[in-house]
């Protein structure tokens, strides 16, 4: 269960990442706890504990991450504009099928 004050980011990530993508993404908001999205199983799972083997790391403000997950901001435009910084295996982004949280 996410810590108080982090429910919005955790919930938005759970809705956005429902389909597997064969890797682990570490989400590092500028403020707050790190989340991991494990997309190696039959369904992607968002967790507060490190499942290991993170293929890439996303760094952004909590607001930007939530807006991406809720479909209010495009993933690619967030990256190109510098609002989202990605380190590691960039091919993971191409394998994502994110759902809009709306």
């Amino acid at each position: 269960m996410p810590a108080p004050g982090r429910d919005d980011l955790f919930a938005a990530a759970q809705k956005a990442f429902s389909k597997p993508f064969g890797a682990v993404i570490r989400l590092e908001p500028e403020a707050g706890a790190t989340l991991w999205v494990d997309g190696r199983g039959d369904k992607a799972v968002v967790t507060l504990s490190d499942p290991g083997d993170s293929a890439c790391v996303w760094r952004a403000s909590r607001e930007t991450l939530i807006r991406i997950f809720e479909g209010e901001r495009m993933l690619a435009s967030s990256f190109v504009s510098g609002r989202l910084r990605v380190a590691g295996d960039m091919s993971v982004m191409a394998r994502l099928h994110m759902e809009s949280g709306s």
Side-chain angles (χ1 to χ4, degrees), residues 18-63:
S18 61
K19 297 182 179 155
F21 52 89
V24 175
I25 298 172
R26 187 171 73 224
L27 304 173
E28 294 183 353
E30 292 171 356
T34 298
L35 301 176
W36 286 265
V37 183
D38 189 344
R40 298 175 292 184
D42 292 337
K43 182 179 178 188
V45 176
V46 179
T47 180
L48 292 169
S49 57
D50 185 355
D53 299 326
S54 295
C56 67
V57 180
W58 292 11
R59 293 180 181 98
S61 70
R62 288 175 49 78
E63 178 184 334

